[in-house]
């Protein structure tokens, strides 16, 4: 039977276990500091713990629930995608994006996905299972440890180590990798708590974004949470006819249910919502559709990200001509819908979710 991952434990769980072992309570703080803030790869490196405690931790827990097996970096060096193997042999992928002064980790929340959206490589592979809170958390910690050790390597001798860990952990986390995070709500939320707890990784809640295809009941649940985590909804179309094709879950959760759920979310949280709109040539990139989108979102505190489709991810769809993107953007702006055209990064490494995994499977 596989060992439990240490990141599956809350600080209280760990304190209780240590108390059962007859260890003082401050050991929990030391262990969590190693796990969440130091660039180590196993319990044996926890040098301020007695050797017998390190051995016991190693015999009872696994230090990492995700193990890197393949990695690719884009030619411009800004985007790195890692394929991780899980304890049951399944695989997932995560991406580190280093631009706009941010160090953003994009994490997966499921192995595969049941929804089968045509714009997404993950959907083509089908659903295998939900990830655990530890498997989600550990994707972020993998990149965090790497960033800290890279910074340590270039820092001048004698610089305070505590400062290094604060400066060089990931700045943002987005739940936009493989899987639909709101279908795996409880595990995703426990991972969120691990990432933002001041006793654990300590990221700001506002620096986390959950991206969903749009599940109204889960959006409602999210709006009841007190934490200011961001929400992004993949819209891709302003009417049900088109959205049924581009985002098939729309057949279960049509726009007349989804958009009111988004309005309630904004009212309850007082947070702006982001809508992602992938632009596809001659499918959803016309000016009339931009006007329809503006009508749909009228009065809603939101921002629309316009994303030209990634041709490597969806060979059946073509990216729009630049003039059409510009016209779409200007139409939304004229209708008072804040929007931005987003660059597609990491095209040369297949940075869309599920693509590296699909590629590795093909060559296995
Ligand atoms: Fe699943 Fe999201 Fe991909 Fe759709 S876009 S198949 S919901 S992971």
């Amino acid at each position: 039977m596989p060992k439990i991952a240490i990141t599956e434990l809350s600080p209280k769980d760990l304190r209780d276990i240590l108390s059962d072992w007859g260890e003082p309570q401050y050991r929990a703080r030391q262990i969590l500091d190693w796990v969440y803030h130091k660039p180590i790869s196993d319990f044996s490196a926890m040098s301020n713990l007695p050797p017998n405690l390190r051995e016991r931790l190693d015999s009872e827990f696994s230090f990492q629930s995700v193990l890197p097996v393949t990695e690719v970096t884009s030619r411009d060096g800004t985007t790195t995608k890692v394929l991780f193997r899980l304890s049951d042999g399944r695989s997932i992928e995560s991406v580190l994006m280093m631009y706009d002064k941010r160090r953003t980790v994009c994490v997966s929340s499921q192995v595969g996905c049941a929804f089968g959206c045509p714009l997404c490589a993950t959907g083509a592979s089908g659903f295998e299972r939900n990830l655990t809170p530890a498997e989600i958390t550990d994707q972020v910690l993998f990149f965090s440890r790497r960033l800290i050790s890279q910074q340590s390597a270039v820092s001048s001798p004698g610089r305070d180590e505590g400062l290094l860990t604060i400066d060089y952990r990931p700045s943002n986390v987005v739940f936009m990798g493989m899987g639909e995070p709101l279908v795996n709500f409880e595990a995703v939320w426990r991972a969120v708590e691990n990432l933002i707890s001041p006793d654990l990784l300590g990221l700001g809640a506002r620096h986390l974004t959950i991206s969903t295809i749009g599940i109204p009941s889960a959006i409602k649940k999210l709006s009841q949470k007190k934490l200011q985590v961001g929400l992004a909804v993949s819209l891709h179309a302003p009417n049900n006819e088109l959205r049924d094709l581009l985002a098939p879950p729309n057949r279960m959760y049509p726009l007349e249910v989804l958009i009111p759920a988004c309005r309630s979310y904004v009212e309850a949280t007082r947070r702006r919502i982001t809508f992602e709109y992938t632009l596809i040539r001659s499918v959803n990139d016309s000016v009339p559709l931009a006007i329809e989108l503006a009508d749909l979102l009228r009065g809603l505190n939101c921002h629309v990200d316009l994303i030209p489709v990634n041709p490597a991810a969806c060979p059946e769809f073509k990216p729009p001509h630049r003039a059409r993107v510009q016209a779409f953007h200007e139409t939304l702006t004229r209708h008072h819908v804040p929007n931005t055209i987003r660059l597609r990064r990491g095209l040369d490494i297949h940075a869309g979710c599920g693509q590296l995994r699909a590629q590795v499977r093909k060559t296995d």
Side-chain angles (χ1 to χ4, degrees):
M1 189 158 146
K3 291 187 267 188
I4 298 172
I6 190 82
T7 43
E8 204 65 44
L9 304 179
S10 69
K12 181 179 178 310
D13 294 337
L14 184 58
R15 281 195 299 273
D16 289 348
I17 288 166
L18 290 168
S19 157
D20 288 348
W21 292 357
E23 294 287 345
Q25 293 288 286
Y26 68 84
R27 293 286 184 216
R29 210 170 47 246
Q30 289 176 317
I31 293 166
L32 293 173
D33 188 44
W34 281 110
V35 170
Y36 282 88
H37 294 287
K38 307 284 193 219
I40 61 169
S41 54
D42 57 52
F43 294 107
S44 69
M46 297 182 171
S47 55
N48 56 358
L49 303 186
N52 61 343
L53 178 55
R54 291 184 236 169
E55 278 161 26
R56 184 143 192 203
L57 286 167
D58 189 49
S59 69
E60 307 259 345
F61 300 106
S62 70
F63 186 77
Q64 298 176 95
S65 58
V66 300
L67 293 173
V69 285
T70 308
E71 173 170 341
V72 278
T73 298
S74 61
R75 274 190 288 276
D76 65 4
T78 59
T79 309
T80 299
K81 177 177 272 199
V82 175
L83 184 78
F84 292 106
R85 188 84 63 210
L86 308 177
S87 60
D88 60 3
R90 292 183 162 94
S91 56
I92 53 161
E93 48 186 62
S94 319
V95 184
L96 173 68
M97 294 163 280
M98 306 265 283
Y99 41 77
D100 300 337
K101 295 187 183 155
R102 291 179 180 182
R103 301 169 296 282
T104 302
V105 180
C106 173
V107 295
S108 294
S109 53
Q110 298 182 306
V111 186
C113 180
F115 284 139
C117 301
L119 291 167
C120 167
T122 302
S125 67
F127 173 73
E128 294 182 32
R129 72 167 169 87
N130 284 329
L131 295 187
T132 64
E135 288 165 339
I136 300 169
T137 306
D138 286 351
Q139 295 170 61
V140 181
L141 292 185
F142 170 83
F143 288 110
S144 185
R145 290 178 188 128
R146 173 177 289 190
L147 288 167
I148 294 166
S149 53
Q150 282 171 350
Q151 173 60 9
S152 301
V154 297
S155 67
S156 54
R159 193 172 159 190
D160 182 84
E161 234 182 74
L163 283 178
L164 293 180
T165 56
I166 292 165
D167 287 345
Y168 271 81
R169 63 192 173 184
S171 60
N172 295 72
V173 174
V174 293
F175 291 78
M176 292 184 184
M178 293 168 56
E180 166 51 56
L182 294 187
V183 167
N184 188 15
F185 194 98
E186 299 310 324
V188 163
W189 198 254
R190 279 197 45 213
V192 164
E193 288 173 336
N194 286 348
L195 299 177
I196 64 176
S197 164
D199 294 332
L200 302 174
L201 193 60
L203 299 181
R206 285 170 183 270
H207 294 192
L208 270 56
T209 301
I210 294 178
S211 174
T212 175
I213 200 69
I215 300 175
S217 57
I219 291 174
K220 187 170 172 214
K221 209 159 144 190
L222 197 60
S223 70
Q224 288 157 356
K225 297 283 183 188
K226 295 282 174 261
L227 297 168
Q228 296 279 295
V229 172
L231 176 65
V233 175
S234 300
L235 204 55
H236 308 321
N239 58 59
N240 285 326
E241 197 184 350
L242 193 51
R243 196 164 188 268
D244 281 353
L245 299 174
L246 298 177
N250 192 68
R251 293 172 202 151
M252 283 179 284
Y253 317 113
L255 289 169
E256 57 273 22
V257 181
L258 174 60
I259 297 299
C262 294
R263 289 186 191 277
S264 303
Y265 171 89
V266 170
E267 273 167 32
T269 61
R270 309 216 167 277
R271 297 218 67 192
R272 188 175 74 168
I273 203 165
T274 299
F275 290 104
E276 290 163 350
Y277 191 103
T278 300
L279 284 163
I280 306 163
R281 188 189 305 175
S282 305
V283 174
N284 65 352
D285 63 343
S286 69
V287 166
L289 287 174
I291 295 170
E292 202 177 341
L293 180 61
D295 283 343
L296 183 73
L297 303 181
R298 180 159 296 124
L300 182 51
N301 181 15
C302 67
H303 187 96
V304 177
D305 281 348
L306 298 173
I307 309 159
V309 70
N310 178 351
C314 325
E316 68 271 37
F317 294 123
K318 292 196 168 34
H321 294 296
R322 195 176 299 180
R324 301 268 286 195
V325 176
Q326 194 60 27
F328 203 98
H329 160 68
E330 285 169 9
T331 305
L332 287 182
T333 304
R334 223 174 21 256
H335 286 78
H336 312 291
V337 178
N339 70 100
T340 310
I341 302 167
R342 297 276 175 218
L343 286 177
R344 270 271 173 219
R345 308 266 186 171
L347 282 182
D348 56 309
I349 61 159
H350 300 270
C353 81
Q355 287 178 272
L356 178 62
R357 180 171 174 260
Q359 204 180 35
V360 167
R361 282 184 158 188
K362 261 190 234 161
T363 55
D364 270 354

